[in-house]
Amino acid sequence: MSPTDSASVAKTPLHDLHVELGGKMVPFAGYSMPVQYSTGILTEHGHTRAQAGLFDVSHMGQVTISGPSVATALETLVSGDMASLEPGRMRYTLFTNPAGGILDDLMVANSSAGTHGHLSLVVNAANKHADLALLQANLGSGVSVEMHDDLALFALQGPVAATVLARHAPDCTDLAFMGAAAMTVGGVACVVSRSGYTGEDGYEISLAGGHAETLARLLLAEPEVAPIGLGARDSLRLEAGLCLHGHDIGPETTPIEAGLRWTIAKRRCDEGGFPGADVIPRQLADGVERRRVGLRPEGRAPAREGTVVTDGAGAAIGTVTSGGYGPSFGGPVAMGYVASDHTAADTEVALMVRGKALPARVTKLPFVATNYHKS
């Protein structure tokens, strides 16, 4: 993860609690965020896989768009099917540009009541101001757009997350994966979704910033819950094969290249109406020159972002976009883009680490089996 250098670093509502708990604070996406606590990244990673970790993700952008035709309006900017998104459900989708590149990836929840549409968006912290400007400039006068800087956002992730949260919000167990609902958690009004960024079962909890520390302390008082920083969040999502915008996906990467074809419904491919809609069907028909794959170094040395991938003859065929040690996997793991004729599982490649060609193999993602809730 690359901290953002900024002369003005904002604080989340949990900043003082992070410091109290021994968090190592770093600037990230314009915010002071804990990269780890005193136990260290490996311990935090393992705790989340075994029990439950609490992540502060209040730096993310929370946006509400409202209007009678809000789903149709949003479809002019994203590649996903918003029209079929039912109340109480959420969907992962992509802002795209005219070349089909990914401006940002985001979660959209349908919180509509009656005939007036309300969609709640969670966008990446580094892109949230650009995303807000994009929405305001393109959705039209009939749709209102509001960024909620007064809200906090937690992620409670891990195999016992449901057990823990149910002690304070019994209705949380009724949520299906990718479901969202308003509910009271420990006496605090929240919007809870069953989703996350670790490959584990878990929840994301949106609430007023003024109540954030109280609720965080309540959850951290549970014996199964530990605070988790950005470092373990990154290693968890990498093992789960999940993309990080600005690294594994970006404006120069299309959903087809990134292996995100599943985010685009057939109707959207057929009807178009979003930026890049002429590019993506052509790529589906004709193929692409490169694709995102998993890479498994055969030694113990990790391959970091920017590492060149070569074929057996030493010719460059791609680049690593995310890499590091996978604590649950038990060795180094990486993701990156390679030429399409080298994407088959078990294809032998080499990674140029500190001037040496280290053997590796292309592998299917994820590196560690996901554990999402099954209804």
Side-chain angles (χ1 to χ4, degrees):
M1 308 190 93
S2 301
T4 298
D5 294 326
S6 175
S8 177
V9 179
K11 297 177 180 179
T12 75
L14 293 186
H15 180 271
D16 291 346
L17 179 57
H18 296 314
V19 173
E20 177 187 323
L21 295 173
K24 180 181 179 181
M25 309 303 289
V26 300
F28 181 78
Y31 284 79
S32 177
M33 299 293 292
V35 68
Q36 66 178 76
Y37 297 87
S38 58
T39 54
I41 293 173
L42 292 182
T43 298
E44 292 173 27
H45 179 113
H47 187 93
T48 305
R49 288 272 186 252
Q51 297 192 67
L54 186 68
F55 302 74
D56 180 13
V57 288
S58 302
H59 60 312
M60 303 289 278
Q62 298 187 66
V63 181
T64 300
I65 58 175
S66 305
S69 302
V70 65
T72 301
L74 184 58
E75 283 191 351
T76 64
L77 298 177
V78 302
S79 57
D81 183 354
M82 298 295 104
S84 69
L85 185 60
E86 298 180 356
R89 299 295 298 163
M90 62 191 305
R91 185 162 291 157
Y92 174 79
T93 191
L94 310 168
F95 285 125
T96 50
N97 62 25
I102 301 170
L103 295 174
D104 202 5
D105 58 339
L106 63 152
M107 300 293 286
V108 180
N110 186 349
S111 50
S112 298
T115 58
H116 202 70
H118 299 271
L119 296 178
S120 299
L121 283 56
V122 177
V123 301
N124 281 298
N127 301 327
K128 65 182 181 181
H129 297 298
D131 291 345
L132 179 64
L134 180 73
L135 292 163
Q136 290 173 331
N138 291 278
L139 291 187
S141 58
V143 176
S144 66
V145 181
E146 183 178 4
M147 177 82 78
H148 301 284
D149 291 327
D150 57 333
L151 296 180
L153 188 65
F154 304 161
L156 182 67
Q157 300 282 295
V160 301
T163 299
V164 169
L165 192 60
R167 296 170 190 158
H168 306 284
D171 291 346
C172 76
T173 57
D174 295 334
L175 279 180
F177 180 57
M178 297 296 278
M183 62 182 69
T184 299
V185 183
V188 177
C190 301
V191 175
V192 179
S193 65
R194 198 157 197 169
S195 61
Y197 194 50
T198 63
E200 298 291 336
D201 184 23
Y203 301 87
E204 293 196 347
I205 305 167
S206 175
L207 71 160
H211 295 298
E213 185 172 327
T214 298
L215 185 56
R217 288 185 183 276
L218 181 69
L219 295 173
L220 288 168
E222 298 294 345
E224 303 96 334
V225 181
I228 312 295
L230 292 174
R233 187 169 185 253
D234 194 48
S235 59
L236 288 159
R237 71 91 192 166
L238 177 55
E239 285 187 338
L242 301 175
C243 294
L244 176 61
H245 192 272
H247 299 258
D248 309 298
I249 53 177
E252 305 302 321
T253 308
T254 72
I256 310 308
E257 293 172 322
L260 298 176
R261 165 65 181 87
W262 58 271
T263 67
I264 310 172
K266 184 178 184 300
R267 177 181 70 83
R268 299 308 318 274
C269 281
D270 292 343
E271 297 178 4
F274 61 92
D278 57 332
V279 175
I280 290 170
R282 187 166 64 248
Q283 290 186 339
L284 286 171
D286 300 338
V288 290
E289 293 183 356
R290 62 172 190 158
R291 289 184 181 274
R292 180 173 65 96
V293 297
L295 296 163
R296 188 180 73 246
E298 294 187 0
R300 303 298 294 176
R304 304 295 182 181
E305 180 179 359
T307 299
V308 173
V309 185
T310 66
D311 63 13
I317 57 167
T319 308
V320 170
T321 53
S322 287
Y325 181 73
S328 302
F329 182 77
V333 293
M335 288 195 297
Y337 288 81
V338 300
S340 292
D341 57 354
H342 287 76
T343 57
D346 289 325
T347 297
E348 295 182 356
V349 297
L351 305 172
M352 299 303 297
V353 178
R354 293 187 291 276
K356 295 183 178 180
L358 303 182
R361 290 180 181 271
V362 173
T363 187
K364 292 182 178 180
L365 295 169
F367 295 102
V368 173
T370 56
N371 213 12
Y372 301 123
H373 175 65
K374 296 180 175 61
S375 301

